[in-house]
């Protein structure tokens, strides 16, 4: 679960991994949707941001997850330019995303 850096990490009884993202990029690729059957909103990242975050968090989720997600996303019609646009704003993943796209193309 993503929270803005500096925000209080919620206490939970479930096994949840909390990741603090920079406030300046927290909303990049994020939209809020209504939870069905309630009046509450939840933030969801677009597929491109999720893939880039997988590359950024590869030490905890594994490089294979990011690579395989990219492969599936491309197979489903994802456009490399959209992924690159997000990666350019999150430099830690930029070279990994570009290399993966080159290998998969």
């Amino acid at each position: 679960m993503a929270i803005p850096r500096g925000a209080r990490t919620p206490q939970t009884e479930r096994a949840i991994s909390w990741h603090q993202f920079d406030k300046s990029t927290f909303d990049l690729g994020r939209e809020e949707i209504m939870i069905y059957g309630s009046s509450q909103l939840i933030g969801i990242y677009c597929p491109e941001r999720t893939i880039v975050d997988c590359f950024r968090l590869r030490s905890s989720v594994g490089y294979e997850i990011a690579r395989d997600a990219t492969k599936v996303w491309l197979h489903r019609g994802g456009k490399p330019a959209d992924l690159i646009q997000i990666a350019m704003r999150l430099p830690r993943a930029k070279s990994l995303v570009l290399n993966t796209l080159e290998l998969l193309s």
Side-chain angles (χ1 to χ4, degrees), residues 22-86:
D22 190 280
K23 289 178 184 178
S24 66
T25 59
F26 182 76
D27 289 324
L28 179 65
R30 184 175 183 267
E31 69 174 285
E32 289 190 338
I33 61 170
M34 186 74 67
I35 297 174
Y36 182 77
S38 79
S39 60
Q40 295 182 329
L41 295 173
I42 187 169
I44 301 288
Y45 284 112
C46 66
E48 296 82 7
R49 171 66 190 258
T50 301
I51 290 170
V52 172
D53 285 340
C54 285
F55 281 105
R56 292 173 56 220
L57 300 169
R58 67 193 176 281
S59 63
S60 58
V61 300
Y63 174 79
E64 297 80 13
I65 298 288
R67 182 202 59 217
D68 292 348
T70 305
K71 189 184 297 186
V72 169
W73 175 80
L74 286 169
H75 181 71
R76 291 182 178 174
K79 297 185 178 15
D82 296 339
L83 193 60
I84 293 168
Q85 182 181 7
I86 298 282

Side-chain angles (χ1 to χ4, degrees), residues 2 13 16 21 35 39-40 53 61 63 69 72 78 81 84 90 92 95-97 100:
E13 294 181 18
I16 296 175
F21 292 170
I35 297 174
S39 60
Q40 295 182 329
D53 285 340
V61 300
Y63 174 79
V72 169
I84 293 168
L90 301 163
R92 247 178 60 202
S95 64
L96 292 166
V97 169
T100 301

